[in-house]
Amino acid sequence: AVDRDTIVKTIFNGTRTPSKDFTAPTLEGYDANVSGNDVLTYNPEKAKELWAKADAISPWDGSFTIAYNADGGHKEWVDATANSIKNTLGIEAEGDAYADFKSLLGDMKAGTTKGGFRQGWQGDYPSLYNFLFPTYSSNASSNYAGWKNAEFDKYLSDSLSASGTEALDLQYKAEELLFEDMPVIPTWYSNTNGAWSTKVSNVQFTWNSTVNYFAITKN
């Protein structure tokens, strides 16, 4: 129900890339075709069909909210996302503004947010594992959705003692479980934007959007 392509073009002027998974495209082993990620493709007809099935099981009432911190420049995309959901599913949807990130984080940790909430992640090192384990494993400190899946935990644990392709395959299988349960909804990756003087060359950006300073050469 979320039209990512339109939102990144109109709200972010193309400075974001629609998500294809739960990690990041700058990481070794990233797979834009990981099994199950078709659910991230905007498909209003399918969304309406699935919503009708869900509504038949547990009738929906009220407004779907997306909590965000008002001090972070998130209002525009939250409003656009809520409107996409509203227009696609025919329900009320709106943003839920918190004064600052500290206030939002407090409710996220306490599990007292009233609906959905925004969350971002920047890895500590370039590994699929470092994007999956800290945010989705059962007892992870940043697993604010409270999702628990023993099979997911085992895939990640086993990947630590594996190497190369085998380790990646285990992490892909872990991601497939995320696509089945969807404890969070991936939206987009942030793109790096930068400029530099004509007096230097070989300017490169690393996996985490920082400048690779030692590679820069003076013309």
Side-chain angles (χ1 to χ4, degrees), residues 71-94:
D71 63 347
H74 301 291
K75 179 178 176 13
E76 289 76 12
W77 74 257
V78 168
D79 287 346
T81 301
N83 285 333
S84 182
I85 294 170
K86 178 180 179 179
N87 295 334
T88 302
L89 302 182
I91 65 171
E92 290 301 315
E94 59 188 346

Side-chain angles (χ1 to χ4, degrees), residues 133-143 146-149 153:
F133 178 82
T135 48
Y136 308 115
S137 59
S138 294
N139 299 308
S141 59
S142 295
N143 181 2
W147 183 68
K148 296 180 184 295
N149 187 306
D153 294 341

Side-chain angles (χ1 to χ4, degrees), residues 91-104:
I91 65 171
E92 290 301 315
E94 59 188 346
D96 178 17
Y98 280 66
D100 50 43
F101 182 65
K102 180 180 179 180
S103 302
L104 174 60

Side-chain angles (χ1 to χ4, degrees), residues 26 192-196 202-212:
T26 56
T192 298
N193 301 286
W196 53 92
N202 200 36
V203 178
Q204 305 169 359
F205 290 90
T206 65
W207 68 275
N208 62 349
S209 303
T210 58
V211 179
N212 196 3

Side-chain angles (χ1 to χ4, degrees), residues 40-52:
L40 301 183
T41 301
Y42 180 54
N43 187 336
E45 291 75 22
K46 187 66 175 179
K48 291 175 184 176
E49 175 190 332
L50 293 174
W51 182 258

Side-chain angles (χ1 to χ4, degrees), residues 16-159:
R16 302 288 190 277
T17 298
S19 293
K20 298 295 184 182
D21 81 325
F22 292 84
T23 65
T26 56
L27 305 175
E28 182 178 355
Y30 167 80
D31 186 358
N33 299 305
V34 62
S35 181
N37 74 349
D38 58 296
V39 298
L40 301 183
T41 301
Y42 180 54
N43 187 336
E45 291 75 22
K46 187 66 175 179
K48 291 175 184 176
E49 175 190 332
L50 293 174
W51 182 258
K53 291 181 179 179
D55 199 46
I57 297 171
S58 179
W60 173 261
D61 183 41
S63 178
F64 176 73
T65 59
I66 304 173
Y68 67 95
N69 49 303
D71 63 347
H74 301 291
K75 179 178 176 13
E76 289 76 12
W77 74 257
V78 168
D79 287 346
T81 301
N83 285 333
S84 182
I85 294 170
K86 178 180 179 179
N87 295 334
T88 302
L89 302 182
I91 65 171
E92 290 301 315
E94 59 188 346
D96 178 17
Y98 280 66
D100 50 43
F101 182 65
K102 180 180 179 180
S103 302
L104 174 60
L105 184 61
D107 276 6
M108 288 164 60
K109 289 181 176 179
T112 54
T113 51
K114 299 176 182 178
F117 51 85
R118 67 151 292 267
Q119 181 179 355
W121 182 256
Q122 173 66 64
D124 300 303
Y125 53 90
S127 163
L128 299 183
Y129 180 89
N130 189 240
F131 278 71
L132 299 174
F133 178 82
T135 48
Y136 308 115
S137 59
S138 294
N139 299 308
S141 59
S142 295
N143 181 2
Y144 300 119
W147 183 68
K148 296 180 184 295
N149 187 306
E151 190 177 8
F152 176 89
D153 294 341
K154 188 174 189 311
Y155 279 139
L156 289 187
S157 177
D158 290 348
S159 75

Side-chain angles (χ1 to χ4, degrees), residues 154-184:
K154 188 174 189 311
Y155 279 139
L156 289 187
S157 177
D158 290 348
S159 75
L160 293 177
S161 57
S163 60
T165 302
E166 183 183 357
L168 288 175
D169 285 343
L170 289 168
Q171 290 165 13
Y172 296 148
K173 289 179 179 178
E175 272 208 89
E176 290 174 19
L177 294 176
L178 285 172
F179 281 120
E180 288 181 13
D181 288 357
M182 291 295 284
V184 304

